[in-house]
Amino acid sequence: MFGKIKHLSVKSYAKINLILNCLGKRKDGYHELDMVMLPIELHDSIIIGKLQNGTDNFVTIDDFSIGNIQYNLATFAIDKLSAKYGFNQKFRVFIHKVIPTEAGLGGGSSNAAFTLKAVNKMMKLNISDDELIEISKSLGADIPFFIKCVPARARGIGEILEPIEVKNNYEILIVKPTQGLSTKDVFDKSDETTFKVGNVDDVIKALKEGDDDLLAKSINNSLEPAAISLVPEIQSIKDKLYNLGFKIVQMSGSGTSVFALSTDKRLVKKAEKILEDDYIVVRTRILRKK
């Protein structure tokens, strides 16, 4: 694609939120969060190459539903890095989208994080993960998580990360209605109400010990009521997943996707076949570092 221009291909993974506690809005406009996130195998693909004699970064995405990509988070990520480390090199970035958009799966944030890591490698900047997290936190709450891309508790605005253990090799079914939601709209709607919070320590304990009953009753998403009020079909999907036999069911991020976790592969495959004609359905697993 890039001829003789040096290029790099990377996988840009998605995530799900086992718990998303919103603790209120801060004076700087951000929300104070306490979350447990898991990276999943579902991913976009990014090809990034150096431009010869380029005057600007050039980003293309093969999903025309996204709209104006001139100001894609990947562009902001490169600009932030070049401003801090003083290089003028411009890049051509092609993003093959597989992660559903406006789904709460972190696709745009993941693209920005993995673009940062790719540019760091290509320019031989030797920036540590902690430095990349510091750089990325002003770009979006989920971007720091994707720098390390391991199961983690994320606090603050998402930049305070603590790795966690996950015992079970869960199969994951993601079900999304056609309609999506913007993160801003969901937070704005949520700010009109009192946030419900769950017990993060119990979620971490359940994941570490493989206790599905504890996990099922401990998961929480503070944004879910607001998202359901905007897109009632989210609740319909949750009900269908419960009726199919899943215990661990929740909306991810700001929606509109709903995930179900199970160690029963047959159950997941059966549900996939039942739901795939009516919704966007993806079967995946937790990303395990090799």
Side-chain angles (χ1 to χ4, degrees), residues 106-256:
S109 296
S110 174
N111 294 163
F114 282 93
T115 297
L116 278 175
K117 294 200 283 186
V119 171
N120 182 32
K121 183 175 182 178
M122 294 175 73
M123 296 297 292
K124 299 181 180 178
L125 299 172
N126 298 315
I127 306 169
S128 69
D129 283 352
D130 288 341
E131 289 178 278
L132 286 175
I133 287 169
E134 184 63 28
I135 293 165
S136 68
K137 69 180 184 181
S138 64
L139 294 170
D142 289 337
I143 300 177
F145 168 79
F146 286 112
I147 298 297
K148 292 184 181 290
C149 205
V150 296
R153 181 179 190 172
R155 286 179 275 190
I157 59 172
E159 84 283 13
I160 304 169
L161 296 162
E162 175 189 340
I164 62 171
E165 296 178 39
V166 181
K167 180 179 180 180
N168 289 341
N169 291 316
Y170 290 110
E171 296 282 328
I172 304 169
L173 192 68
I174 296 170
V175 185
K176 180 188 178 295
T178 303
Q179 187 176 351
L181 283 171
S182 76
T183 300
K184 182 181 184 304
D185 288 346
V186 177
F187 270 104
D188 287 348
K189 186 71 174 177
S190 294
D191 284 336
E192 299 172 5
T193 62
T194 301
F195 292 111
K196 176 189 172 185
V197 297
N199 190 319
V200 177
D201 291 335
D202 279 353
V203 169
I204 293 172
K205 181 175 185 287
L207 288 170
K208 182 178 181 179
E209 298 178 358
D211 188 336
D212 285 358
D213 290 331
L214 178 60
L215 186 60
K217 70 179 184 180
S218 301
I219 56 177
N220 175 70
N221 187 333
S222 295
L223 303 178
E224 193 174 84
I228 289 172
S229 72
L230 294 168
V231 181
E233 198 171 6
I234 295 168
Q235 184 61 57
S236 175
I237 291 171
K238 289 189 68 180
D239 293 341
K240 288 178 181 180
L241 288 167
Y242 282 128
N243 289 336
L244 284 167
F246 291 98
K247 294 190 296 184
I248 305 165
V249 176
Q250 183 169 267
M251 186 184 83
S252 184
S254 56
T256 53

